[in-house]
Amino acid sequence: MTISAVPSGYRVSASRQETHDTVTLFLEPTGDPIARYVPGQFTMLYAFGVGEIPISISGPAGEHGLTQTIRAVGAVSSALCAATPRQLIGVRGPFGTSWGESDATGQDLLLVAGGIGLAPLRPALLAALDQRHRYRRIIVLVGARSPAELVFATELQEWRQRDACVEVTVDKADGTWPGNVGVVTQLLGRADLDPRQTLALICGPEVMMRLTARALLAAGLDRASIRVSLERNMQCGVAECGHCQLGPLLLCRDGPVVSYQVAEPLLAIREL
Ligand SMILES: Cc1cc2nc3c(=O)[nH]c(=O)nc-3n(C[C@H](O)[C@H](O)[C@H](O)COP(=O)(O)OP(=O)(O)OC[C@H]3O[C@@H](n4cnc5c(N)ncnc54)[C@H](O)[C@@H]3O)c2cc1C
Ligand code: FES
């Protein structure tokens, strides 16, 4: 088990197309695996000959292999999405902070996801569902641009069967969509939140996280009960190169998950 500047070898054991541009890769170590990880952490995935990028772990903590969900937006992410079974991928990590979902023990755990933001939240959700008795309610609110852009769509029903309250909304419906239409913050109003007994974990585009956090503050949650996952360009992953600096934070070390107390002033700082 290593955290190293040198990538560990992993092979693609399977891949699942989530949406037209998003793929979940299932990876198995070819030698020593990376160290155990906790929900919220990320790895640096290296597509040989193309480059290395940070990607959150989307599979359950404790699994032998690694599950990571990638949206193709550029050269490296497209190469990873195109990886085929048995292909070798380099993995460094795990890096960063955790969601700390168990801090909601005895309370409501609220997860709010925008788009592919459901991927980094999934390990926290799976860990909470494995310990369902610890939490009063587990509420999952998911927003996607359209029904076709919904990731992990095949799992939503299973999460409901495991006693999570799962609500989904899309910005733009097609003719067959029977569900909610509108932004994810609209779902908050229906969640009957208990502001003093709720830990909220939010992941999605920054504007979505900001608006969701503001709505939660308006509902009475305090900043310390809200956590967000922040993204900036990363290179070393080990707090040495400074690429991921955001205000006083190095996000590879102090993030990606940070309390909204810390994140609120920083969300106004745009990456250069
Ligand atoms: C801690 C962390 C966790 C992440 N987890 C995931 C994940 O689970 N799944 C996933 O698909 N992506 C994730 N990302 C984003 C991912 O790292 C970027 O999409 C990737 O670096 C793009 O690299 P590229 O070479 O494919 O594209 P590039 O050519 O580098 O970029 C292509 C386009 O994407 C934009 N872009 C690059 N990086 C980001 C970013 N961090 N956020 C938003 N836009 C970006 C660029 O501005 C450009 O427009 C994460 C990023 C961080 C920092
Ligand atoms: S990525 Fe190098 S300091 Fe964070």
Side-chain angles (χ1 to χ4, degrees):
M1 304 271 196
T2 47
I3 297 186
S4 158
V6 180
S8 299
Y10 276 68
R11 255 184 224 294
V12 176
S13 57
S15 73
R16 182 174 77 198
Q17 194 79 37
E18 298 285 346
T19 70
H20 70 102
D21 63 0
T22 302
V23 166
T24 294
L25 289 183
F26 301 92
L27 304 170
E28 290 292 329
T30 56
D32 279 347
I34 62 167
R36 284 175 72 85
Y37 51 86
V38 288
Q41 288 194 299
F42 68 96
T43 65
M44 297 296 293
L45 289 187
Y46 180 49
F48 285 93
V50 188
E52 190 186 47
I53 55 171
I55 296 292
S56 297
I57 297 166
S58 61
E63 70 176 345
H64 171 69
L66 265 178
T67 303
Q68 308 215 235
T69 302
I70 305 147
R71 187 153 77 96
V73 295
V76 186
S77 51
S78 298
L80 290 168
C81 285
T84 49
R86 300 211 47 74
Q87 190 167 323
L88 198 59
I89 307 276
V91 181
R92 292 193 297 122
F95 299 124
T97 50
S98 81
W99 286 112
E101 68 285 343
S102 62
D103 293 343
T105 297
Q107 304 184 7
D108 293 342
L109 177 65
L110 170 68
L111 299 95
V112 190
I116 197 173
L118 187 54
L121 283 169
R122 183 171 174 261
L125 172 62
L126 296 178
L129 290 175
D130 282 346
Q131 300 278 311
R132 181 65 191 86
H133 60 281
R134 277 191 174 205
Y135 304 92
R136 237 169 35 173
R137 290 187 300 164
I138 298 177
I139 305 165
V140 185
L141 307 180
V142 181
R145 273 196 221 134
S146 69
E149 307 248 357
L150 192 56
V151 293
F152 303 110
T154 56
E155 296 184 22
L156 304 177
Q157 195 52 27
E158 183 195 326
W159 298 343
R160 290 186 183 109
Q161 282 162 1
R162 296 178 71 187
D163 196 20
C165 167
V166 182
E167 292 285 342
V168 180
T169 185
V170 297
D171 295 344
K172 217 171 166 192
D174 58 20
T176 61
W177 176 250
N180 303 298
V181 179
V183 291
V184 73
T185 44
Q186 289 174 0
L187 298 177
L188 287 172
R190 290 195 237 146
D192 190 23
L193 295 179
D194 178 348
R196 285 180 307 275
Q197 299 283 318
T198 300
L199 175 67
L201 313 179
I202 314 172
C203 192
E206 286 195 1
V207 62
M208 167 268 173
M209 292 196 288
R210 208 170 23 231
L211 293 176
T212 303
R214 277 189 201 154
L216 290 172
L217 293 176
L221 268 78
D222 58 36
R223 285 168 177 76
S225 302
I226 302 172
R227 295 174 191 167
V228 297
S229 183
L230 299 178
E231 289 187 5
R232 285 297 180 274
N233 282 337
M234 290 189 181
Q235 210 165 71
C236 70
V238 289
E240 281 175 6
C241 72
H243 270 82
C244 65
Q245 182 162 11
L246 181 62
L249 307 182
L250 289 176
L251 281 180
C252 65
R253 177 193 63 197
D254 307 319
V257 178
V258 297
S259 151
Y260 196 63
Q261 268 171 319
V262 175
E264 190 176 30
L266 301 177
L267 276 170
I269 301 176
R270 298 200 67 80
E271 194 168 12
L272 296 174

PDB file of all heavy atoms in Angstrom, residues 144-166:
ATOM      1  N   ALA A 144     -29.629  17.378 -12.981  1.00  0.00           N
ATOM      2  CA  ALA A 144     -28.894  17.109 -14.230  1.00  0.00           C
ATOM      3  C   ALA A 144     -29.442  18.039 -15.295  1.00  0.00           C
ATOM      4  O   ALA A 144     -30.572  18.526 -15.182  1.00  0.00           O
ATOM      5  CB  ALA A 144     -29.068  15.654 -14.651  1.00  0.00           C
ATOM      6  N   ARG A 145     -28.628  18.274 -16.334  1.00  0.00           N
ATOM      7  CA  ARG A 145     -29.104  19.175 -17.391  1.00  0.00           C
ATOM      8  C   ARG A 145     -30.316  18.588 -18.103  1.00  0.00           C
ATOM      9  O   ARG A 145     -31.264  19.288 -18.417  1.00  0.00           O
ATOM     10  CB  ARG A 145     -27.976  19.413 -18.395  1.00  0.00           C
ATOM     11  CG  ARG A 145     -27.097  20.562 -17.972  1.00  0.00           C
ATOM     12  CD  ARG A 145     -26.254  21.040 -19.138  1.00  0.00           C
ATOM     13  NE  ARG A 145     -24.924  21.320 -18.613  1.00  0.00           N
ATOM     14  CZ  ARG A 145     -23.801  20.938 -19.160  1.00  0.00           C
ATOM     15  NH1 ARG A 145     -23.807  20.273 -20.292  1.00  0.00           N
ATOM     16  NH2 ARG A 145     -22.651  21.227 -18.612  1.00  0.00           N
ATOM     17  N   SER A 146     -30.249  17.278 -18.362  1.00  0.00           N
ATOM     18  CA  SER A 146     -31.358  16.603 -19.052  1.00  0.00           C
ATOM     19  C   SER A 146     -31.389  15.163 -18.557  1.00  0.00           C
ATOM     20  O   SER A 146     -30.414  14.697 -17.949  1.00  0.00           O
ATOM     21  CB  SER A 146     -31.125  16.621 -20.565  1.00  0.00           C
ATOM     22  OG  SER A 146     -30.037  15.773 -20.872  1.00  0.00           O
ATOM     23  N   PRO A 147     -32.470  14.413 -18.816  1.00  0.00           N
ATOM     24  CA  PRO A 147     -32.513  13.009 -18.382  1.00  0.00           C
ATOM     25  C   PRO A 147     -31.320  12.217 -18.927  1.00  0.00           C
ATOM     26  O   PRO A 147     -30.786  11.360 -18.230  1.00  0.00           O
ATOM     27  CB  PRO A 147     -33.830  12.502 -18.979  1.00  0.00           C
ATOM     28  CG  PRO A 147     -34.679  13.723 -19.107  1.00  0.00           C
ATOM     29  CD  PRO A 147     -33.742  14.855 -19.428  1.00  0.00           C
ATOM     30  N   ALA A 148     -30.876  12.532 -20.131  1.00  0.00           N
ATOM     31  CA  ALA A 148     -29.765  11.780 -20.738  1.00  0.00           C
ATOM     32  C   ALA A 148     -28.429  12.077 -20.060  1.00  0.00           C
ATOM     33  O   ALA A 148     -27.466  11.337 -20.239  1.00  0.00           O
ATOM     34  CB  ALA A 148     -29.683  12.115 -22.231  1.00  0.00           C
ATOM     35  N   GLU A 149     -28.361  13.147 -19.280  1.00  0.00           N
ATOM     36  CA  GLU A 149     -27.091  13.531 -18.637  1.00  0.00           C
ATOM     37  C   GLU A 149     -27.002  13.043 -17.191  1.00  0.00           C
ATOM     38  O   GLU A 149     -26.076  13.387 -16.471  1.00  0.00           O
ATOM     39  CB  GLU A 149     -26.949  15.060 -18.639  1.00  0.00           C
ATOM     40  CG  GLU A 149     -27.118  15.672 -19.999  1.00  0.00           C
ATOM     41  CD  GLU A 149     -25.841  16.270 -20.546  1.00  0.00           C
ATOM     42  OE1 GLU A 149     -24.830  16.262 -19.839  1.00  0.00           O
ATOM     43  OE2 GLU A 149     -25.880  16.726 -21.694  1.00  0.00           O
ATOM     44  N   LEU A 150     -27.979  12.257 -16.794  1.00  0.00           N
ATOM     45  CA  LEU A 150     -28.014  11.773 -15.410  1.00  0.00           C
ATOM     46  C   LEU A 150     -27.030  10.616 -15.247  1.00  0.00           C
ATOM     47  O   LEU A 150     -27.128   9.614 -15.953  1.00  0.00           O
ATOM     48  CB  LEU A 150     -29.442  11.299 -15.125  1.00  0.00           C
ATOM     49  CG  LEU A 150     -29.850  11.000 -13.705  1.00  0.00           C
ATOM     50  CD1 LEU A 150     -29.612  12.196 -12.797  1.00  0.00           C
ATOM     51  CD2 LEU A 150     -31.324  10.608 -13.695  1.00  0.00           C
ATOM     52  N   VAL A 151     -26.073  10.758 -14.306  1.00  0.00           N
ATOM     53  CA  VAL A 151     -25.126   9.659 -14.056  1.00  0.00           C
ATOM     54  C   VAL A 151     -25.683   8.739 -12.956  1.00  0.00           C
ATOM     55  O   VAL A 151     -26.490   9.171 -12.136  1.00  0.00           O
ATOM     56  CB  VAL A 151     -23.709  10.176 -13.680  1.00  0.00           C
ATOM     57  CG1 VAL A 151     -23.059  10.879 -14.855  1.00  0.00           C
ATOM     58  CG2 VAL A 151     -23.749  11.086 -12.456  1.00  0.00           C
ATOM     59  N   PHE A 152     -25.279   7.488 -12.965  1.00  0.00           N
ATOM     60  CA  PHE A 152     -25.734   6.478 -12.003  1.00  0.00           C
ATOM     61  C   PHE A 152     -27.258   6.326 -12.006  1.00  0.00           C
ATOM     62  O   PHE A 152     -27.853   5.988 -10.984  1.00  0.00           O
ATOM     63  CB  PHE A 152     -25.239   6.786 -10.577  1.00  0.00           C
ATOM     64  CG  PHE A 152     -23.741   6.900 -10.508  1.00  0.00           C
ATOM     65  CD1 PHE A 152     -23.127   8.135 -10.293  1.00  0.00           C
ATOM     66  CD2 PHE A 152     -22.930   5.802 -10.702  1.00  0.00           C
ATOM     67  CE1 PHE A 152     -21.745   8.255 -10.261  1.00  0.00           C
ATOM     68  CE2 PHE A 152     -21.554   5.910 -10.684  1.00  0.00           C
ATOM     69  CZ  PHE A 152     -20.960   7.136 -10.456  1.00  0.00           C
ATOM     70  N   ALA A 153     -27.872   6.594 -13.169  1.00  0.00           N
ATOM     71  CA  ALA A 153     -29.336   6.545 -13.255  1.00  0.00           C
ATOM     72  C   ALA A 153     -29.866   5.166 -12.865  1.00  0.00           C
ATOM     73  O   ALA A 153     -30.948   5.058 -12.267  1.00  0.00           O
ATOM     74  CB  ALA A 153     -29.773   6.891 -14.678  1.00  0.00           C
ATOM     75  N   THR A 154     -29.090   4.130 -13.149  1.00  0.00           N
ATOM     76  CA  THR A 154     -29.580   2.767 -12.873  1.00  0.00           C
ATOM     77  C   THR A 154     -29.541   2.439 -11.382  1.00  0.00           C
ATOM     78  O   THR A 154     -30.065   1.410 -10.970  1.00  0.00           O
ATOM     79  CB  THR A 154     -28.726   1.717 -13.618  1.00  0.00           C
ATOM     80  OG1 THR A 154     -27.356   1.911 -13.230  1.00  0.00           O
ATOM     81  CG2 THR A 154     -28.863   1.858 -15.121  1.00  0.00           C
ATOM     82  N   GLU A 155     -28.911   3.286 -10.574  1.00  0.00           N
ATOM     83  CA  GLU A 155     -28.763   2.963  -9.149  1.00  0.00           C
ATOM     84  C   GLU A 155     -29.761   3.684  -8.245  1.00  0.00           C
ATOM     85  O   GLU A 155     -29.872   3.381  -7.060  1.00  0.00           O
ATOM     86  CB  GLU A 155     -27.339   3.312  -8.686  1.00  0.00           C
ATOM     87  CG  GLU A 155     -26.303   2.486  -9.389  1.00  0.00           C
ATOM     88  CD  GLU A 155     -24.892   2.755  -8.880  1.00  0.00           C
ATOM     89  OE1 GLU A 155     -24.731   3.248  -7.747  1.00  0.00           O
ATOM     90  OE2 GLU A 155     -23.958   2.467  -9.631  1.00  0.00           O
ATOM     91  N   LEU A 156     -30.455   4.674  -8.801  1.00  0.00           N
ATOM     92  CA  LEU A 156     -31.299   5.520  -7.953  1.00  0.00           C
ATOM     93  C   LEU A 156     -32.351   4.704  -7.205  1.00  0.00           C
ATOM     94  O   LEU A 156     -32.604   4.919  -6.017  1.00  0.00           O
ATOM     95  CB  LEU A 156     -31.983   6.603  -8.791  1.00  0.00           C
ATOM     96  CG  LEU A 156     -31.053   7.503  -9.620  1.00  0.00           C
ATOM     97  CD1 LEU A 156     -31.869   8.481 -10.443  1.00  0.00           C
ATOM     98  CD2 LEU A 156     -30.086   8.241  -8.718  1.00  0.00           C
ATOM     99  N   GLN A 157     -32.962   3.740  -7.928  1.00  0.00           N
ATOM    100  CA  GLN A 157     -34.018   2.937  -7.328  1.00  0.00           C
ATOM    101  C   GLN A 157     -33.467   2.072  -6.195  1.00  0.00           C
ATOM    102  O   GLN A 157     -34.099   1.931  -5.145  1.00  0.00           O
ATOM    103  CB  GLN A 157     -34.689   2.081  -8.422  1.00  0.00           C
ATOM    104  CG  GLN A 157     -36.015   1.486  -8.020  1.00  0.00           C
ATOM    105  CD  GLN A 157     -37.000   2.520  -7.469  1.00  0.00           C
ATOM    106  OE1 GLN A 157     -36.954   3.714  -7.789  1.00  0.00           O
ATOM    107  NE2 GLN A 157     -37.887   2.069  -6.588  1.00  0.00           N
ATOM    108  N   GLU A 158     -32.264   1.547  -6.407  1.00  0.00           N
ATOM    109  CA  GLU A 158     -31.633   0.725  -5.360  1.00  0.00           C
ATOM    110  C   GLU A 158     -31.383   1.574  -4.103  1.00  0.00           C
ATOM    111  O   GLU A 158     -31.594   1.119  -2.982  1.00  0.00           O
ATOM    112  CB  GLU A 158     -30.322   0.165  -5.901  1.00  0.00           C
ATOM    113  CG  GLU A 158     -29.620  -0.756  -4.935  1.00  0.00           C
ATOM    114  CD  GLU A 158     -28.178  -1.008  -5.349  1.00  0.00           C
ATOM    115  OE1 GLU A 158     -27.891  -1.052  -6.560  1.00  0.00           O
ATOM    116  OE2 GLU A 158     -27.328  -1.121  -4.432  1.00  0.00           O
ATOM    117  N   TRP A 159     -30.939   2.813  -4.294  1.00  0.00           N
ATOM    118  CA  TRP A 159     -30.710   3.693  -3.132  1.00  0.00           C
ATOM    119  C   TRP A 159     -32.017   3.937  -2.387  1.00  0.00           C
ATOM    120  O   TRP A 159     -32.053   3.967  -1.158  1.00  0.00           O
ATOM    121  CB  TRP A 159     -30.096   5.019  -3.582  1.00  0.00           C
ATOM    122  CG  TRP A 159     -28.752   4.866  -4.246  1.00  0.00           C
ATOM    123  CD1 TRP A 159     -27.933   3.772  -4.196  1.00  0.00           C
ATOM    124  CD2 TRP A 159     -28.086   5.825  -5.063  1.00  0.00           C
ATOM    125  NE1 TRP A 159     -26.795   4.006  -4.936  1.00  0.00           N
ATOM    126  CE2 TRP A 159     -26.860   5.247  -5.474  1.00  0.00           C
ATOM    127  CE3 TRP A 159     -28.398   7.113  -5.492  1.00  0.00           C
ATOM    128  CZ2 TRP A 159     -25.953   5.927  -6.296  1.00  0.00           C
ATOM    129  CZ3 TRP A 159     -27.495   7.790  -6.309  1.00  0.00           C
ATOM    130  CH2 TRP A 159     -26.290   7.201  -6.693  1.00  0.00           C
ATOM    131  N   ARG A 160     -33.103   4.092  -3.150  1.00  0.00           N
ATOM    132  CA  ARG A 160     -34.417   4.287  -2.495  1.00  0.00           C
ATOM    133  C   ARG A 160     -34.794   3.048  -1.702  1.00  0.00           C
ATOM    134  O   ARG A 160     -35.289   3.141  -0.583  1.00  0.00           O
ATOM    135  CB  ARG A 160     -35.501   4.571  -3.544  1.00  0.00           C
ATOM    136  CG  ARG A 160     -35.357   5.923  -4.198  1.00  0.00           C
ATOM    137  CD  ARG A 160     -36.546   6.224  -5.121  1.00  0.00           C
ATOM    138  NE  ARG A 160     -36.347   7.495  -5.783  1.00  0.00           N
ATOM    139  CZ  ARG A 160     -36.062   7.639  -7.076  1.00  0.00           C
ATOM    140  NH1 ARG A 160     -35.961   6.589  -7.869  1.00  0.00           N
ATOM    141  NH2 ARG A 160     -35.878   8.841  -7.590  1.00  0.00           N
ATOM    142  N   GLN A 161     -34.531   1.876  -2.301  1.00  0.00           N
ATOM    143  CA  GLN A 161     -34.883   0.623  -1.603  1.00  0.00           C
ATOM    144  C   GLN A 161     -34.067   0.454  -0.326  1.00  0.00           C
ATOM    145  O   GLN A 161     -34.489  -0.228   0.599  1.00  0.00           O
ATOM    146  CB  GLN A 161     -34.672  -0.573  -2.534  1.00  0.00           C
ATOM    147  CG  GLN A 161     -35.809  -0.713  -3.523  1.00  0.00           C
ATOM    148  CD  GLN A 161     -35.452  -1.586  -4.724  1.00  0.00           C
ATOM    149  OE1 GLN A 161     -34.349  -2.109  -4.819  1.00  0.00           O
ATOM    150  NE2 GLN A 161     -36.390  -1.722  -5.629  1.00  0.00           N
ATOM    151  N   ARG A 162     -32.901   1.108  -0.283  1.00  0.00           N
ATOM    152  CA  ARG A 162     -32.077   1.035   0.928  1.00  0.00           C
ATOM    153  C   ARG A 162     -32.422   2.187   1.882  1.00  0.00           C
ATOM    154  O   ARG A 162     -31.638   2.551   2.737  1.00  0.00           O
ATOM    155  CB  ARG A 162     -30.601   1.034   0.540  1.00  0.00           C
ATOM    156  CG  ARG A 162     -30.225  -0.206  -0.263  1.00  0.00           C
ATOM    157  CD  ARG A 162     -28.771  -0.174  -0.684  1.00  0.00           C
ATOM    158  NE  ARG A 162     -27.886  -0.382   0.450  1.00  0.00           N
ATOM    159  CZ  ARG A 162     -26.556  -0.275   0.392  1.00  0.00           C
ATOM    160  NH1 ARG A 162     -25.969   0.020  -0.760  1.00  0.00           N
ATOM    161  NH2 ARG A 162     -25.824  -0.475   1.456  1.00  0.00           N
ATOM    162  N   ASP A 163     -33.574   2.791   1.663  1.00  0.00           N
ATOM    163  CA  ASP A 163     -34.149   3.775   2.588  1.00  0.00           C
ATOM    164  C   ASP A 163     -33.471   5.148   2.521  1.00  0.00           C
ATOM    165  O   ASP A 163     -33.319   5.820   3.538  1.00  0.00           O
ATOM    166  CB  ASP A 163     -34.144   3.232   4.023  1.00  0.00           C
ATOM    167  CG  ASP A 163     -35.076   4.032   4.925  1.00  0.00           C
ATOM    168  OD1 ASP A 163     -35.978   4.710   4.386  1.00  0.00           O
ATOM    169  OD2 ASP A 163     -34.882   4.011   6.148  1.00  0.00           O
ATOM    170  N   ALA A 164     -33.050   5.527   1.332  1.00  0.00           N
ATOM    171  CA  ALA A 164     -32.667   6.923   1.107  1.00  0.00           C
ATOM    172  C   ALA A 164     -33.828   7.594   0.383  1.00  0.00           C
ATOM    173  O   ALA A 164     -34.520   6.963  -0.421  1.00  0.00           O
ATOM    174  CB  ALA A 164     -31.407   7.002   0.255  1.00  0.00           C
ATOM    175  N   CYS A 165     -34.025   8.873   0.678  1.00  0.00           N
ATOM    176  CA  CYS A 165     -35.016   9.644  -0.065  1.00  0.00           C
ATOM    177  C   CYS A 165     -34.279  10.286  -1.241  1.00  0.00           C
ATOM    178  O   CYS A 165     -33.384  11.107  -1.020  1.00  0.00           O
ATOM    179  CB  CYS A 165     -35.611  10.697   0.864  1.00  0.00           C
ATOM    180  SG  CYS A 165     -36.553  11.927  -0.011  1.00  0.00           S
ATOM    181  N   VAL A 166     -34.586   9.864  -2.447  1.00  0.00           N
ATOM    182  CA  VAL A 166     -33.835  10.325  -3.624  1.00  0.00           C
ATOM    183  C   VAL A 166     -34.766  11.106  -4.540  1.00  0.00           C
ATOM    184  O   VAL A 166     -35.784  10.582  -4.986  1.00  0.00           O
ATOM    185  CB  VAL A 166     -33.218   9.132  -4.405  1.00  0.00           C
ATOM    186  CG1 VAL A 166     -32.396   9.636  -5.590  1.00  0.00           C
ATOM    187  CG2 VAL A 166     -32.372   8.257  -3.491  1.00  0.00           C
TER     188      VAL A 166
END
